[in-house]
Amino acid sequence: LDARIANRRLDVDIDGDVAHVDPAVATTVASAAGDVSGHVKGHVSIAGLGDTPTPEAFGFDGEVTLGPSRVAGQDITSASMSLLLADGVLGVRRLEAVTPLGAVTASGPLALNATAPSDLAYTIRGIPLYDGDIEALVLQAEHSAAGPWSLLNLRTASDGKIAEATVRLRNSDGRE
């Protein structure tokens, strides 16, 4: 850990383990609340020390590896990611995560403020669907009450006005 403060700005080069960090504090996004533990290697910055924290004040450029953690109400078994946080936007260069329900990969920008655009693309694999809107829509479209379905792939994109989703499901009887 190498830390410097100059001109009301904290800069920290870190390469070490972290335990029980609340991501809501690190991002100023209350909905990201949780408890994360793992390894961080990169550069952290906080501008405007003494001011009210904003998403734009925080910066990060580096790699994060998580062990068992929880973010935004979701359990994470393990995760590995390369991130760039700047100007209120979390740039996800690469994210690979395993949850108790399935696996997630993601990349792209995710705005942490109300003014920046988001275009985070993600894929979710292996999450079983027994209830929920996606399963209900699929079953209704097939005129079938059979289940359960497992989510093979879900990819979404949004420009803030239009959202697109691609869904791939597999039934326990092998139908996709």
Side-chain angles (χ1 to χ4, degrees):
L1 182 70
D2 179 27
R4 302 160 304 285
I5 296 178
N7 300 318
R8 297 181 45 224
R9 177 184 165 104
L10 172 66
D11 284 282
V12 179
D13 292 316
I14 185 170
D15 185 358
D17 294 336
V18 295
H20 307 294
V21 175
D22 185 350
V25 173
T27 62
T28 71
V29 177
S31 62
D35 181 30
V36 299
S37 297
H39 188 88
V40 177
K41 182 177 183 178
H43 181 82
V44 177
S45 63
I46 304 173
L49 292 176
D51 296 343
T52 301
T54 66
E56 293 80 10
F58 292 88
F60 177 75
D61 186 1
E63 307 287 322
V64 177
T65 304
L66 298 180
S69 298
R70 187 167 179 83
V71 176
Q74 302 301 313
D75 288 326
I76 298 169
T77 305
S78 64
S80 173
M81 59 203 87
S82 177
L83 306 170
L84 175 64
L85 174 60
D87 302 319
V89 177
L90 179 61
V92 179
R93 296 179 187 121
R94 175 192 51 79
L95 180 141
E96 298 168 351
V98 176
T99 76
L101 299 176
V104 177
T105 59
S107 64
L110 177 64
L112 302 179
N113 58 30
T115 59
S118 289
D119 191 18
L120 184 69
Y122 56 92
T123 301
I124 303 171
R125 297 183 193 281
I127 296 177
L129 297 173
Y130 295 97
D131 300 305
D133 294 338
I134 294 173
E135 180 187 17
L137 290 172
V138 170
L139 294 175
Q140 183 179 15
E142 291 188 346
H143 305 289
S144 168
W149 289 86
S150 292
L151 181 64
L152 296 178
N153 185 293
L154 172 64
R155 184 168 180 85
T156 65
S158 174
D159 65 4
K161 296 179 185 174
I162 298 173
E164 297 177 2
T166 303
V167 179
R168 232 176 103 216
L169 300 167
R170 178 179 291 143
N171 190 281
S172 57
D173 65 7
R175 289 180 293 149
E176 283 189 27

